[in-house]
Amino acid sequence: MASLSWSDLPPELLGLVLKCLPSLADRVRLRAVCHPWRTNARQQPMPLLTLPDGAFLSIPDGEIIRVPVPDDARCYGSVDNWLLLMQNDGGCSLVNPFSKAIVELPMLSTVWFSDSSNATSGLNPILYKPVVLSPLDSSPDSLVAVLILDDGYCSTVCICQPPFAADVSSSTARWPLQVFDDVAFFNGKLHGLGSSNKLFVFDIEYDLSNQPKITSIKCIIDYGDGLRDLPQSVSREKLHIKREYLVECCGRLFWVRRFLQSDCHGQARLYLKHRHTVAFDVFEAGLSTNTSRWRKVNNLGGQVLCVGRHCSKSFPAVEYNGIEGDCIYFMCDYYPNADPLCDSGIYSMRTGMITPLLSETVAVPQHHGGQWCPTWIFPADSM
């Protein structure tokens, strides 16, 4: 009888082994054993959460993963498996920490200050949200847009076209009467989520030097049913605030509303750090030719949403063992240098319940501060 090797293990048994390995590092080691295991163990790695000290937190096992990045670089956001890094000298780039690939960007703070109204305002940019028209792994020259919010809550949108991103004349657009809370590419066009339930689309054209320019914006939705309704878990007896996200999901564009409340009384209730998330609701952009409006949805079609001010993304639950569909993963992203786990969890649209982001058997990791913003990063299956 011929002896068998580990590579002869049937795929169905390999799948059972994989289910017992919540650790990303262990799943990577398993796939590194041999080519058949790498081919058959096609489970997607779960999203990682960045911590203020520059480490990555694996969900749901709580493993701390450290991937080398430039010493003087600070993370300001992410898109897919790329980090938006800014160095001490202002240099900006999108960096894949796993493959080490780099896409150079304009010096975003310089672009922001080059607007005369920004330069004289006394304000400073505090939030960056990058989005791309096409995945950078396959299209490194994809159109890139970055939403910049300043500490006066004014918004700027910067667009650029790598590999010509070193040109700081890349287009910016700032609208004093309209603040954008989030942006997303959808159906090949850049969309912005504005105030008062408004959805805008940006018109982008290329000049003679083939540089993209924002030529105009127009409101395409400002109405919907149920916009004034509150989820049942939001107390009518307490003040609440909302955080809002724009997420493309399987050919649909979702507006996600996050509701925060506080159990504190008096002046403490005014501060974000005393609040916690109690509910979500989701609206789909209905962009018909006759009537465009927001439509409330009760499920995500089996998808999962990871939302954050610096990155939001959807993924199918069926590609991940043990992951429930129609859920929203969230972290604390609403005040600077916060512990992203201090208000984090998984909201189920099926039950309206919130469960912990980390497994109950995992100790909450300790970190010692830092300057990285909390954001999601999605390791590619090729790891």
Side-chain angles (χ1 to χ4, degrees):
M1 179 177 178
S3 61
L4 298 178
S5 67
W6 285 109
S7 62
D8 296 316
L9 187 70
E12 58 271 19
L13 295 182
L14 184 62
L16 294 176
V17 173
L18 204 61
K19 288 183 179 181
C20 298
L21 298 176
S23 166
L24 172 64
D26 287 342
R27 293 196 298 268
V28 171
R29 294 186 188 105
L30 180 145
R31 295 185 59 196
V33 169
C34 58
H35 181 72
W37 282 28
R38 183 175 182 84
T39 301
N40 293 322
R42 300 299 293 179
Q43 183 191 33
Q44 291 279 358
M46 282 292 292
L48 304 175
L49 179 61
T50 61
L51 298 177
D53 63 359
F56 297 157
L57 178 67
S58 177
I59 306 295
D61 61 283
E63 180 180 8
I64 298 296
I65 300 172
R66 296 192 179 275
V67 179
V69 297
D71 291 337
D72 64 342
R74 176 181 172 185
C75 175
Y76 279 86
S78 60
V79 54
D80 298 327
N81 53 339
W82 296 71
L83 296 173
L84 173 62
L85 298 182
M86 189 177 300
Q87 296 178 307
N88 292 338
D89 61 2
C92 295
S93 58
L94 287 166
V95 176
N96 186 322
F98 310 107
S99 69
K100 312 305 180 187
I102 298 176
V103 172
E104 298 292 344
L105 297 179
M107 299 178 71
L108 294 172
S109 59
T110 301
V111 174
W112 187 87
F113 279 114
S114 66
D115 185 314
S116 59
S117 60
N118 291 341
T120 60
S121 66
L123 303 174
N124 293 285
I126 59 172
L127 181 142
Y128 298 85
K129 166 68 180 293
V131 292
V132 295
L133 178 60
S134 304
L136 290 173
D137 286 340
S138 56
S139 304
D141 58 348
S142 169
L143 183 67
V144 178
V146 182
L147 170 67
I148 306 174
L149 292 180
D150 62 37
D151 48 12
Y153 204 58
C154 292
S155 57
T156 301
V157 177
C158 172
I159 59 172
C160 60
Q161 183 82 57
F164 307 106
D167 181 3
V168 295
S169 66
S170 300
S171 177
T172 61
R174 187 174 189 262
W175 298 271
L177 300 180
Q178 183 58 60
V179 174
F180 293 101
D181 290 302
D182 207 349
V183 292
F185 278 106
F186 176 66
N187 285 345
K189 295 183 178 181
L190 183 63
H191 291 72
L193 181 63
S195 56
S196 302
N197 314 319
K198 291 182 172 63
L199 179 68
F200 293 83
V201 65
F202 294 76
D203 290 324
I204 299 174
E205 297 180 358
Y206 287 81
D207 60 19
L208 295 177
S209 60
N210 205 33
Q211 291 294 300
K213 303 291 181 183
I214 297 173
T215 56
S216 65
I217 63 169
K218 59 182 177 182
C219 179
I220 55 176
I221 295 182
D222 62 0
Y223 174 76
D225 297 323
L227 298 180
R228 296 183 179 274
D229 298 340
L230 296 177
Q232 291 185 351
S233 52
V234 178
S235 172
R236 273 65 174 173
E237 306 301 321
K238 302 176 182 178
L239 293 176
H240 72 270
I241 62 173
K242 296 193 296 287
R243 285 291 178 264
E244 300 170 298
Y245 312 95
L246 199 60
V247 192
E248 189 278 333
C249 179
C250 292
R252 306 163 74 185
L253 186 60
F254 288 143
W255 167 28
V256 180
R257 302 196 302 184
R258 174 181 181 178
F259 295 84
L260 298 95
Q261 286 191 316
S262 173
D263 295 325
C264 298
H265 299 283
Q267 292 298 318
R269 68 185 180 182
L270 299 177
Y271 297 98
L272 281 171
K273 64 182 179 180
H274 294 291
R275 296 180 179 269
H276 60 277
T277 300
V278 294
F280 287 81
D281 61 13
V282 180
F283 293 82
E284 180 181 358
L287 301 175
S288 65
T289 55
N290 297 324
T291 304
S292 296
R293 62 195 301 174
W294 294 112
R295 294 194 293 257
K296 191 170 185 178
V297 299
N298 297 316
N299 65 78
L300 304 173
Q303 298 287 304
V304 175
L305 304 183
C306 288
V307 297
R309 300 196 75 190
H310 306 277
C311 174
S312 293
K313 184 177 173 64
S314 67
F315 62 85
V318 295
E319 294 185 3
Y320 299 78
N321 288 326
I323 301 300
E324 179 184 343
D326 302 318
C327 286
I328 301 173
Y329 284 57
F330 64 95
M331 97 291 271
C332 181
D333 63 351
Y334 44 78
Y335 63 94
N337 303 328
D339 179 353
L341 297 175
C342 70
D343 181 17
S344 64
I346 306 169
Y347 176 80
S348 172
M349 293 190 66
R350 299 173 183 174
T351 65
M353 303 294 292
I354 293 176
T355 55
L357 190 62
L358 296 179
S359 171
E360 295 180 356
T361 61
V362 172
V364 177
Q366 300 297 315
H367 54 83
H368 303 287
Q371 297 296 314
W372 278 35
C373 73
T375 189
W376 302 103
I377 186 165
F378 297 79
D381 180 61
S382 58
M383 280 186 61

